[in-house]
Amino acid sequence: MNDLGPKKKTYKNILLMYSGGLDTSTILKWLQENYNADVYTFTADLGQEFADPTRFKEIEEKAKKLGAKKHFTVDLKDIFFKEYIVPTIKANGLYQGIYPLSTAVGRPLIAIEAVKIAKNENIEALAHGCTGKGNDQIRINTTANAYAPEIEVLQPLIEWNMGRDEEIKYAEQHGIQIQNQNKKYSTDENLFGRSAECDILEHPEIEPPEDSKAWTVAPEKAPNTAEYITINFEEGIPVGLNGEMMNGVELIRQLHEIGCKHGIGRIEHMEDRAIGLKSRETYEVPAALILIKAHKDLEKYVCTKHENSFKQLVDQRWTELAYEGLWVDPLREALEAFINEINMKVTGSVKVKLFKGSANVVARESPYGIYDLNLATYDTDSSFNQKLSYGFIPLWGLQSRMGFITKRKLKQEKKK
Ligand code: ARG
């Protein structure tokens, strides 16, 4: 192995971030054989199994059966909401204007928790099942290396030089059940969304087939009547649904259900990965999309046009850092200082209309809205003095008009 690979040939013990799928199950065996190590496994509960929490028990049993020394399942749903989802909502975090960062913001949290466990248990190295082509490896490694430079992060999928077929053969030889192998897509799920890649989805000229979706109903099959919902925000944080205050995880759960029923949040995207590859990505992000749309609308309502224009730049920069795996960069916190300051007044409620795959804001209310009916109305009794326009427009347009005239002269001279 050259300088760029793992530093050691054996490890006493390794903590594997384990999902229970084929890759990480094969890795679990491979690490024991290849590094002669005790392998510990860790599964983060970010809400991915919210339909079926008993799944975590099955994952644990599978890990133990494959020789895991000890298994950790950690419920991170609340912290995921408060420290990762809320900042994404406050930053209107849509990568390239489209993808609400659902996988992206889960990764640093998983890495930080893995480091915590490794330190508590005196574990020498971490391992995960990310390929060398994606964003997730950057997100996990950068975060873990920042929190614990002394702990190495192993990437067996890069290291083991096995193709997919060899991997499956290896798995079979080691008694790993491959019952899910008709599951052709590589998926990732958490409270904030589901992503699917691979197989036919790698052909951008073909529409993603229905079997790549697992959460949402097809918009064509969604109810024929619209549903209206109201989301309450306090300082940029979603705190209530249809007037009922509730905790964030519960709010997302309920919104998820309503959104799925109406076919909201199906996204397909030609995405620019941090590593430079362009890739076709598909998502189901009903709750995330509704929340970001609603938040953005309310924020725009309570901010000046100058704040709105600058906020877009800050949001985009924040989103890129989160997407590109640089969660630990101090710039993120610095941008959040501004984002939080803006969000102090993002309090109020937003009414959203859901209908056959679309979620549109149709009304909003806030004590801090910079809107004055009396000024804006077209009725004649408005206190807005339209005569001021006689003075305003000549000054507003002064320099632009002068510039226009000068440039026209220049063009005419060139023609001669
Ligand atoms: N392209 C998305 C992102 O970078 C999704 C990655 C999904 N990961 C996966 N293992 N399927 O955030």
Side-chain angles (χ1 to χ4, degrees):
M1 192 55 72
N2 63 30
D3 287 339
L4 291 173
K7 295 192 187 66
K8 288 169 65 176
K9 286 205 158 39
T10 57
Y11 285 95
K12 209 165 70 224
N13 46 29
I14 300 170
L15 177 68
L16 169 64
M17 296 164 225
Y18 184 67
S19 70
L22 172 69
D23 283 338
T24 51
S25 296
T26 313
I27 291 171
L28 174 48
K29 273 286 173 208
W30 186 84
L31 288 172
Q32 296 171 68
E33 283 193 347
N34 196 65
Y35 281 104
N36 207 7
D38 283 341
V39 181
Y40 294 65
T41 43
F42 156 51
T43 306
D45 175 0
L46 300 186
Q48 64 270 41
E49 309 286 353
F50 54 98
D52 179 17
T54 60
R55 259 293 283 158
F56 289 110
K57 216 56 242 139
E58 286 168 31
I59 295 173
E60 169 164 7
E61 277 157 21
K62 187 165 179 189
K64 295 247 172 85
K65 226 179 86 200
L66 295 172
K69 180 105 178 147
K70 195 166 164 188
H71 179 84
F72 303 87
T73 304
V74 189
D75 179 355
L76 297 170
K77 292 192 285 290
D78 277 314
I79 160 161
F80 184 44
F81 177 77
K82 289 198 183 93
E83 294 182 22
Y84 296 82
I85 291 179
V86 164
T88 306
I89 295 169
K90 285 186 179 176
N92 303 307
L94 294 174
Y95 179 64
Q96 300 193 310
I98 291 183
Y99 160 50
L101 301 176
S102 46
T103 295
V105 293
R107 300 310 189 188
L109 174 57
I110 295 172
I112 291 167
E113 194 59 29
V115 165
K116 241 189 242 171
I117 298 172
K119 286 190 171 178
N120 279 342
E121 304 282 326
N122 275 321
I123 292 174
E124 288 182 340
L126 301 176
H128 58 68
C130 302
T131 76
K133 288 189 171 182
N135 299 312
D136 291 330
Q137 50 169 354
I138 309 177
R139 297 165 182 154
I140 292 178
N141 294 22
T142 304
T143 310
N145 293 156
Y147 274 77
E150 72 284 7
I151 298 180
E152 179 153 23
V153 185
L154 302 170
Q155 276 183 265
L157 286 194
I158 298 182
E159 208 188 316
W160 68 22
N161 285 321
M162 287 196 279
R164 191 75 176 167
D165 294 343
E166 283 167 276
E167 179 188 342
I168 290 176
K169 205 186 275 167
Y170 182 93
E172 278 167 351
Q173 283 163 359
H174 290 79
I176 295 164
Q177 283 175 4
I178 319 195
Q179 83 268 42
N180 278 341
Q181 261 339 279
N182 49 348
K183 187 177 158 254
K184 4 175 198 187
Y185 307 110
S186 160
T187 58
D188 179 65
E189 288 180 12
N190 64 39
L191 271 183
F192 214 43
R194 171 178 191 273
S195 67
E197 306 165 321
C198 295
D199 204 71
I200 191 80
L201 300 174
E202 287 173 351
H203 299 267
E205 69 283 6
I206 297 170
E207 182 179 357
E210 203 49 36
D211 74 352
S212 64
K213 309 293 176 197
W215 284 1
T216 52
V217 65
E220 300 87 321
K221 297 199 175 136
N224 289 324
T225 41
E227 179 166 354
Y228 290 88
I229 54 168
T230 305
I231 301 165
N232 301 88
F233 288 90
E234 252 165 45
E235 302 195 1
I237 304 170
V239 291
L241 184 59
N242 294 329
E244 190 193 331
M245 299 299 132
M246 60 187 80
N247 109 333
V249 175
E250 184 53 31
L251 189 147
I252 291 200
R253 228 188 272 269
Q254 293 194 16
L255 199 53
H256 169 87
E257 236 154 72
I258 302 171
C260 286
K261 187 172 80 187
H262 288 278
I264 310 296
R266 289 186 166 198
I267 288 176
E268 72 96 28
H269 184 205
M270 282 313 300
E271 192 166 293
D272 291 306
R273 288 191 184 162
I275 217 159
L277 287 172
K278 220 178 250 305
S279 80
R280 152 54 108 54
E281 305 280 335
T282 70
Y283 303 99
E284 291 174 276
V285 283
L289 210 67
I290 296 170
L291 286 170
I292 291 174
K293 271 198 173 181
H295 174 270
K296 206 169 174 179
D297 180 277
L298 188 62
E299 183 182 82
K300 194 165 171 223
Y301 183 53
V302 300
C303 285
T304 66
K305 71 172 178 177
H306 307 288
E307 287 176 305
N308 283 325
S309 142
F310 192 69
K311 176 87 174 15
Q312 281 190 22
L313 302 177
V314 175
D315 286 350
Q316 187 182 336
R317 201 65 198 86
W318 185 94
T319 300
E320 284 169 2
L321 286 174
Y323 180 84
E324 291 169 353
L326 302 179
W327 188 260
V328 295
D329 195 291
L331 178 60
R332 179 185 56 83
E333 279 185 4
L335 296 177
E336 276 175 23
F338 171 79
I339 290 171
N340 286 332
E341 170 75 23
I342 288 286
N343 271 277
M344 276 170 57
K345 52 187 183 244
V346 186
T347 293
S349 63
V350 181
K351 191 170 171 185
V352 187
K353 180 179 183 175
L354 310 176
F355 182 61
K356 289 197 176 289
S358 71
N360 291 317
V361 173
V362 291
R364 78 288 295 148
E365 250 182 278
S366 169
Y368 311 119
I370 305 183
Y371 172 79
D372 185 334
L373 177 63
N374 177 273
L375 288 177
T377 181
Y378 282 98
D379 292 351
T380 42
D381 58 357
S382 165
S383 62
F384 186 97
N385 180 0
Q386 299 191 45
K387 294 215 163 68
L388 291 173
S389 292
Y390 291 141
F392 170 72
I393 296 171
L395 293 180
W396 173 253
L398 175 66
Q399 216 177 61
S400 301
R401 283 185 285 113
M402 287 169 68
F404 175 82
I405 291 165
T406 319
K407 191 165 172 196
R408 190 169 57 184
K409 212 161 80 195
L410 179 88
K411 279 186 190 160
Q412 280 164 352
E413 277 167 10
K414 276 203 159 173
K415 263 193 212 150
K416 280 184 202 154

